[in-house]
Amino acid sequence: MVGLFSIMGHEKCESYLIFSGEAALGDNFRTFLYFLGLAYCFLGLSAITARFFKSMENVVKHTRKVVEIDPVTQTEVVRHEKVWNYTIADISLLAFGTSFPQISLATIDAIRNVGNLYAGGLGPGTLVGSAAFDLFPIHAVCVVVPKAGELKKIADIGVWLVELFWSYWAYIWLYIILKVWTPDVVTLWEALLTVLQYGLLLTHAYAQDKRWPYISLPIERDERPEEWVPEESPYFIRESLDKIDFSETSPMSEEHGETVDIFSIHSVNPTDQKYERVRQIDDNVAQISDKAKEMMTEDVHLLKIWRQQFVDALTLESLETKKLKNSYLRMGRILWQSLLLPWRFLFAFVPPCHIAHGWISFICSLLFISGIAYIVTRITDLISCVTGINAYVIAFTALASGTSWPDLVASKIAAERQITADSAIANITCSNSVNIYVGIGVPWLIDTLYNFIAYREPLRIQDAGGLSFSLLVFFSTSVGCISVLVLRRLIFGAELGGPRIWAWITCVYFMLLWIIFVVLSSLKVSGFI
């Protein structure tokens, strides 16, 4: 029986990450350093996700000009329609992009494993553990993100039901492959069918969105906003504040008809009584937003914009930090920015997100995510080597949580900034589907194709029993999660937000479900049950 820890008696790990002298360090010290490095990589994933999400917004906002002839007046009618469909954008750009760390990790693990008759353990374990993290902790965060009393519901419940069906079917399909159809092995055709089902998910969801007859569910959608995100995001406004000339004048009030220097709002004790203390700069969001739009149209020089990214990355004290009155909080914020400075400087090389409708920034962000995922696989191998912890246990816990951090950030941003809950919840359900159809399907397709050509043999799964058990636990606990979302819809009229006390109770309940999944799966893989 292999336990969670088998440090006593395991061979000394001679592998290293940077230099060979690491092997001379004590195992406990090496374990601490590697876990510290793993955590720092997860911080990098979180930082690049913010840039990825912003570039994705620009991609989704892209419109095209459509010229039509009015049949009555025979005149040209020009309108602008969005290139991307709501639903397809959620499933392909949002879900695929935020799942890219897990997909990259699993693909890298598969490429390293090419030629081996047995599949690697990091990829499948991470993806199943990531599904649990997506469903439970991310739902827990999104439920409490809206302001007290604010309700955010799914506008298109039909599309969500389609996405939920394919999410559940993904894990049923995986169990069929591992334990029913060809137990403990994966064939080339099974891997190919797994990947192709991602295309079926896209087609079915699009058909539901367009209400195709005979295919879609007869469920009407609620009214949803024209824009995928609000016209000006808070992130963009905060980014623009540092560039706005505050010396311009702004009307103090309509009844006085006077203008004052807006710079006076920074004065705590104004000497002139006609100056009024403004509560927060946020009260002038509309004006700042208009000024920001003007700046974006005027400042079109690529090098200037790109240079500003490096200036922002190396700036430790932002406008928000300067406004903090508590010196300890201010110092803590500066220390935190100092910790993130290497990542911020590195990601400043990503081109500005408004170039080419955000596509260049989108692709570069994914490349950086892949690079961090490779480092994560190397560190994980070393942790398993040094401690003797089962690789599947690390995958279910540390790797699943860390690589799912972009999912958490993206869903949290969507829950905060969007009027409905569609994208926040769709990101969760669709990410789980993408994890199986692409994250497991593509790596298995690589290995099974090589084994078929080289050996005429299928791909064997070394710990299929533990993986199958985790799927059953996940399926059981997920029913409890979805049931609560349905109850919240029936009682409060929305899945996210609502009365603060019930939002926090739901949050705690979802976290307990995740703990149950992690504990039971780890005990099974480690041989305790």
Side-chain angles (χ1 to χ4, degrees):
M1 179 183 294
V2 180
L4 286 174
F5 295 89
S6 56
I7 295 178
M8 296 299 295
H10 79 279
E11 295 182 3
K12 185 172 181 61
C13 180
E14 299 295 335
S15 302
Y16 58 91
L17 179 64
I18 300 175
F19 57 93
S20 58
E22 294 173 20
L25 302 174
D27 285 350
N28 292 335
F29 186 60
R30 290 182 70 187
T31 302
F32 171 75
L33 289 179
Y34 293 148
F35 269 112
L36 201 63
L38 199 62
Y40 196 66
C41 286
F42 294 156
L43 284 179
L45 285 176
S46 177
I48 191 62
T49 300
R51 188 170 291 273
F52 155 78
F53 195 87
K54 192 179 176 187
S55 64
M56 188 200 65
E57 286 182 354
N58 280 29
V59 172
V60 175
K61 285 181 178 179
H62 179 44
T63 59
R64 61 186 173 189
K65 182 179 178 181
V66 178
V67 180
E68 297 177 342
I69 304 296
D70 190 303
V72 179
T73 62
Q74 297 299 313
T75 58
E76 288 188 351
V77 178
V78 179
R79 62 183 178 86
H80 293 270
E81 64 177 22
K82 291 192 175 296
V83 174
W84 282 90
N85 173 268
Y86 264 95
T87 302
I88 299 301
D90 283 337
I91 299 175
S92 56
L93 296 178
L94 182 61
F96 181 81
T98 54
S99 296
F100 204 71
Q102 300 96 299
I103 296 172
S104 298
L105 189 147
T107 305
I108 292 169
D109 190 42
I111 293 173
R112 294 189 310 169
N113 199 60
V114 165
N116 193 337
L117 290 177
Y118 285 89
L122 287 182
T126 301
L127 289 161
V128 174
S130 173
F133 188 91
D134 286 351
L135 195 64
F136 304 129
I138 297 182
H139 266 128
V141 170
C142 289
V143 165
V144 298
V145 159
K147 299 175 183 178
E150 185 181 8
L151 293 170
K152 294 191 178 183
K153 67 177 181 178
I154 300 173
D156 199 335
I157 198 72
V159 170
W160 179 68
L161 289 175
V162 168
E163 294 166 347
L164 188 65
F165 164 77
W166 283 99
S167 175
Y168 271 108
W169 169 248
Y171 292 92
I172 295 173
W173 169 253
L174 190 58
Y175 185 84
I176 291 173
I177 291 177
L178 294 175
K179 301 303 293 182
V180 179
W181 198 345
T182 53
D184 301 339
V185 300
V186 178
T187 65
L188 175 61
W189 292 110
E190 288 172 337
L192 185 60
L193 284 174
T194 302
V195 175
L196 291 177
Q197 287 183 71
Y198 180 61
L200 294 178
L201 162 63
L202 288 171
T203 304
H204 192 185
Y206 184 77
Q208 179 63 40
D209 182 79
K210 294 300 182 181
R211 298 302 190 268
W212 288 357
Y214 308 112
I215 300 178
S216 61
L217 298 172
I219 301 175
E220 293 297 325
R221 70 163 62 94
D222 293 335
E223 185 178 354
R224 62 186 180 187
E226 182 67 23
E227 292 295 331
W228 190 81
V229 291
E231 179 63 22
E232 289 298 333
S233 66
Y235 179 82
F236 173 76
I237 293 172
R238 288 197 301 269
E239 206 174 49
S240 304
L241 283 171
D242 292 329
K243 302 179 188 177
I244 296 177
D245 184 4
F246 285 101
S247 64
E248 296 188 5
T249 59
S250 176
M252 183 182 71
S253 66
E254 292 183 3
E255 50 182 277
H256 288 87
E258 297 178 286
T259 59
V260 298
D261 187 352
I262 199 171
F263 191 75
S264 65
I265 66 174
H266 298 289
S267 174
V268 179
N269 298 308
T271 56
D272 194 332
Q273 291 186 3
K274 73 178 181 180
Y275 292 111
E276 293 186 357
R277 179 65 179 166
V278 179
R279 293 192 308 274
Q280 288 289 343
I281 278 182
D282 294 338
D283 296 339
N284 294 321
V285 163
Q287 179 186 353
I288 295 172
S289 176
D290 292 339
K291 183 65 180 175
K293 287 182 186 178
E294 293 176 12
M295 288 180 346
M296 289 303 295
T297 56
E298 294 171 2
D299 190 10
V300 294
H301 198 282
L302 172 61
L303 294 180
K304 288 183 179 179
I305 302 171
W306 212 332
R307 182 183 63 187
Q308 187 61 40
Q309 287 188 178
F310 286 93
V311 173
D312 294 340
L314 297 174
T315 302
L316 298 180
E317 197 170 14
S318 64
L319 186 65
E320 288 184 352
T321 305
K322 292 177 181 177
K323 291 193 296 183
L324 290 175
K325 295 181 179 180
N326 190 312
S327 58
Y328 294 104
L329 288 177
R330 190 171 178 177
M331 185 60 65
R333 182 75 69 88
I334 293 175
L335 289 175
W336 177 253
Q337 295 298 328
S338 302
L339 184 65
L340 292 177
L341 191 141
W343 289 124
R344 294 171 60 191
F345 178 76
L346 180 64
F347 299 149
F349 286 96
V350 176
C353 65
H354 61 275
I355 299 174
H357 306 295
W359 276 110
I360 298 177
S361 177
F362 183 87
I363 294 171
C364 289
S365 298
L366 294 184
L367 291 176
F368 272 108
I369 290 173
S370 297
I372 298 174
Y374 174 75
I375 299 173
V376 166
T377 57
R378 292 280 298 116
I379 296 176
T380 304
D381 287 341
L382 288 170
I383 292 174
S384 181
C385 178
V386 172
T387 63
I389 301 176
N390 190 300
Y392 272 97
V393 175
I394 300 175
F396 282 135
T397 53
L399 280 188
S401 303
T403 56
S404 294
W405 201 254
D407 287 311
L408 175 61
V409 173
S411 287
K412 178 180 176 292
I413 293 173
E416 286 175 336
R417 293 167 55 179
Q418 296 184 4
I419 300 173
T420 68
D422 291 71
S423 292
I425 295 181
N427 178 46
I428 298 170
T429 52
C430 294
S431 291
N432 287 349
S433 300
V434 171
N435 283 345
I436 299 300
Y437 300 135
V438 180
I440 289 183
V442 170
W444 279 357
L445 185 61
I446 293 172
D447 285 342
T448 54
L449 182 62
Y450 183 90
N451 287 1
F452 179 79
I453 295 174
Y455 311 121
R456 299 289 175 178
E457 291 283 342
L459 181 67
R460 295 179 173 84
I461 308 300
Q462 193 165 10
D463 200 354
L467 197 59
S468 303
F469 178 82
S470 297
L471 290 172
L472 293 175
V473 174
F474 171 76
F475 192 86
S476 302
T477 50
S478 65
V479 171
C481 176
I482 301 301
S483 299
V484 168
L485 289 179
V486 173
L487 283 175
R488 288 180 57 84
R489 176 82 176 211
L490 295 175
I491 297 173
F492 303 118
E495 290 78 15
L496 306 182
R500 212 62 183 161
I501 180 66
W502 287 108
W504 279 106
I505 290 174
T506 306
C507 174
V508 172
Y509 171 71
F510 287 162
M511 292 303 298
L512 286 175
L513 290 178
W514 181 62
I515 292 172
I516 290 172
F517 168 83
V518 169
V519 171
L520 291 179
S521 298
S522 299
L523 290 176
K524 176 64 177 179
V525 171
S526 301
F528 286 104
I529 58 175

